[in-house]
Amino acid sequence: MADQLSPDEKFGLITRNLQEVLGEEKVKQVLQERALRVYWGTATTGKPHVAYFVPMSKIADFLKAGCEVTILFADLHAYLDNMKAPWELLELRVQYYENIIKAMLESIGVPLDKLKFVKGTDYQLSREYTLDVYRMSSVMTEHDAKKAGAEVVKQVEHPLLSGLLYPGLQALDEEYLKVDAQFGGVDQRKIFTLAEKYLPTLGYSKRAHLMNPMVPGLTGTKMSSSEEESKIDLLDSREDVKKKLKKAFCEPGNVENNGVLSFVKFVLFPLHGGFCIKRDPNWGGDKVYTTYEEVEKDFSDEMIHPGDLKASVEAALNKLMEPIRKKFESPVLRKLTNSAYPDPTKTKAAGKGAKAGGGGTGGGDNDQLVPSRLDLRVGKVISVDKHPDADSLYLEKIDVGEAEPRTVVSGLVAYVSQEDLQDRMVLLLCNLKPQKMRGIESQAMLLCASIEGDPRRVEPLDPPEGSSPGDRVFVAGYETGKPDEKLNPKKKVWEKLQVDLKISDECVAQWKDNHLMTKLGQITCKTLKGGNIS
């Protein structure tokens, strides 16, 4: 097919659905002479999720346009990015990524024999590459390196030198993979412009850069491997897919930050050239769309119900995921998955587990006492009323990113006015067993800072600016654990973990000196230095 396309048609395939192209003329020039050489790299950190179908569908476009495509499994980058992949797991993570990405490509009909797969450490530890890293470090400023990695490398209070090396290494990959263009998300833009600036200083040519838009996750923010509720894992069961899509942000008529619609636009249409909304005959029956613009317009005009959109995407997703699930049913790949991503809540031995967990209670795999067992989320207070049967209690409706707000009963009447609570962002513990308080069931706990011995000083905790309802809150160093579905009240998990929740002298919420965080930054309070959290 590619041989029958004109250079302009190839350019159209290569650039469709991209948000931005840097070096457009260079791409056109190469296409006049030969096949474009492109690489896409992925750091082998958390498990790939369904948003990876977005770059996969673009790789399909590149191949249709006759491009020579290299896929880089960037294992060294995964380690340099704040050790998201521990050194001892690097090789296992690469094997997992290679198997699951090949399974994805096969599920959308991409011929693997047209692709070249490369592991970063196959060439990044060579003498020549290492010397170029030193050469790059001699001309690149700390300011440029830090700025380039701001949206890609994990940002921490005390950055490691490794995070500053990361952007320069990614720039050098373009030369060592001998490509004309690098493809990635628009969040990589600063790294791409850094490559354009610094590669010529080493005597290497400037490459073109092809950028995908960032596709929203299920919570309306970026789909992230570290944010469980924002993503659908490629090995999730049909039941998990249904459950996660049911909770997904998909407000009637709202096409902004809609991860369900974005999946239709960036995956289903490029792969299939159309999309079918399946619905009851009483509501118009099935409708086939030939352009995404028609889908978006009908959804904006509320001609498509969110439930019908979700059900149709669910069916399409399961069709894409089923071959991947089947492939990973093999004992070899199941073992690889468990080895590459060991469950952090499992204890290796009863004695060691209790010690490591700070007092495990025994009786199951999920008995290690770690803060990742807490389902902590950002919430937005929608309404605040006095409890009808208790003057000291508020009755609040709080949005935590679910289909319906949660009812929360809190004893904040003496400390915070209704006006100050209304519409503010708060921190909630969402997996306690619901409890009735004066006849009304409270479905979560609103967390506050307080000073022991001074009952007048209580402040709700503050999520970072720009937070959204449902944003996951984690303790630094415990990002990958999965919260209990419901904390067992008999084992007093919350009570035991709560003892070590404190406010630092900088007013930052901590657990055993590790910061409470969202993807946007730290959880804080306004004034209660050294306080407790409850």
Side-chain angles (χ1 to χ4, degrees), residues 357-461:
T361 55
D365 288 337
N366 202 32
D367 278 334
Q368 193 172 7
L369 204 61
V370 288
S372 53
R373 294 179 64 179
L374 304 177
D375 183 2
L376 296 169
R377 298 186 223 170
V378 173
K380 181 177 181 179
V381 180
I382 297 173
S383 66
V384 190
D385 296 295
K386 289 284 187 69
H387 193 297
D389 296 319
D391 291 339
S392 63
L393 300 177
Y394 280 136
L395 187 61
E396 300 133 350
K397 293 287 185 183
I398 302 182
D399 179 4
V400 291
E402 297 171 339
E404 299 293 333
R406 293 201 182 197
T407 299
V408 177
V409 182
S410 67
L412 292 176
V413 171
Y415 313 106
V416 186
S417 70
Q418 286 178 257
E419 292 75 16
D420 286 343
L421 267 182
Q422 180 68 44
D423 295 326
R424 73 164 285 162
M425 307 302 285
V426 294
L427 183 66
L428 292 181
L429 175 61
C430 294
N431 59 341
L432 286 174
K433 183 179 178 180
Q435 289 191 343
K436 283 194 174 182
M437 299 179 69
R438 299 296 291 270
I440 295 179
E441 185 177 82
S442 183
Q443 299 168 329
M445 178 188 288
L446 195 159
L447 296 183
C448 297
S450 61
I451 297 294
E452 191 172 356
D454 188 348
R456 296 165 298 174
R457 301 185 68 192
V458 175
E459 295 176 0
L461 295 176

Side-chain angles (χ1 to χ4, degrees), residues 222-257:
K222 176 182 172 183
M223 195 174 286
S224 166
S225 296
S226 63
E227 189 180 1
E228 186 64 29
E229 291 193 354
S230 80
K231 68 184 179 75
I232 293 174
D233 189 275
L234 290 165
L235 300 180
D236 275 349
S237 67
R238 286 176 171 269
E239 293 74 21
D240 286 335
V241 172
K242 181 182 287 292
K243 182 179 176 183
K244 289 181 178 180
L245 278 172
K246 188 176 180 181
K247 291 182 177 180
F249 174 78
C250 193
E251 188 176 61
N254 187 352
V255 299
E256 299 296 324
N257 296 321

Side-chain angles (χ1 to χ4, degrees), residues 312-323:
S312 303
V313 168
E314 179 188 336
L317 252 180
N318 279 317
K319 189 174 181 181
L320 289 173
M321 292 168 64
E322 196 55 36

Side-chain angles (χ1 to χ4, degrees), residues 71-77 94 118-126 129 173 177:
I71 291 180
L72 171 67
F73 297 114
D75 51 348
L76 190 56
H77 289 78
V94 170
V118 177
K119 184 171 69 172
T121 48
D122 286 343
Y123 66 89
Q124 289 166 345
L125 301 179
S126 68
Y129 189 92
D173 290 340
L177 293 172

